[in-house]
Amino acid sequence: MTFRTPADDAHPYLRAANAGVRHHTRALTRTTPAAPADRVHLDVLHAHLTALHHLLDHLSETTRPPHPAAGRHLTTAHTLLWQATAEIHLAFHLLPSSAAEGAEASACHPDRLPEGPPVLTICQRHLAAGHSIRRKTTPTDLRPHTTACVR
């Protein structure tokens, strides 16, 4: 006898994460006036994208042997998600610091972030994710992705 999980119960944590993102988006659009992103917001968003990055990495690795074409598409999604994660990291450092002003405050020094050195800061998380992507991709793969519409 085999137990099969119903399709709607197969991935409850992903559904919960999606619901959380939708709820947050609705809450942001209801606030008047709309508040700009802050460092804490981008740190949490970066953590979410990094978790998705690791999930896509695992899915592409396990999908590629039995289904090479699907695995290549997942690998491409993995690379594009990394580019989005890198842009969030850069935006984090361009936002003003709450503790000090100037370029020194926004430089990438995990031990000197205004929030203090938590167990895993955005910079440490980004460096760890960057290490994993660089083991599996080439610099050419990481160049900015452009899409041309041909009709």
Side-chain angles (χ1 to χ4, degrees):
M1 182 166 110
T2 60
F3 178 73
R4 189 158 184 206
T5 305
D8 58 347
D9 291 332
H11 305 287
Y13 297 117
L14 284 176
R15 277 197 318 283
N18 287 337
V21 169
R22 283 192 307 269
H23 174 75
H24 184 71
T25 302
R26 281 193 303 270
L28 283 177
T29 58
R30 283 188 220 139
T31 59
T32 38
D38 59 3
R39 284 182 149 210
V40 174
H41 193 183
L42 291 185
D43 185 25
V44 173
L45 182 59
H46 186 272
H48 185 76
L49 290 177
T50 304
L52 285 174
H53 178 264
H54 291 301
L55 177 62
L56 266 175
D57 183 31
H58 176 73
L59 289 174
S60 66
E61 289 295 318
T62 58
T63 304
R64 186 176 298 184
H67 307 287
R72 282 192 301 273
H73 282 287
L74 289 174
T75 299
T76 300
H78 177 254
T79 302
L80 294 174
L81 184 62
W82 167 251
Q83 291 170 341
T85 305
E87 293 300 322
I88 295 294
H89 180 249
L90 291 173
F92 174 89
H93 288 293
L94 292 175
L95 289 176
S97 170
S98 60
E101 298 298 323
E104 183 63 26
S106 65
C108 189
H109 299 287
D111 56 332
R112 291 188 275 163
L113 286 176
E115 298 81 19
V119 175
L120 188 62
T121 65
I122 188 172
C123 298
Q124 291 168 333
R125 185 186 323 113
H126 194 72
L127 289 172
H131 178 67
S132 74
I133 189 106
R134 285 180 179 86
R135 283 186 293 124
K136 298 179 182 188
T137 58
T138 66
T140 304
D141 294 334
L142 295 176
R143 75 184 189 293
H145 179 74
T146 58
T147 303
C149 181
V150 180
R151 290 190 182 214

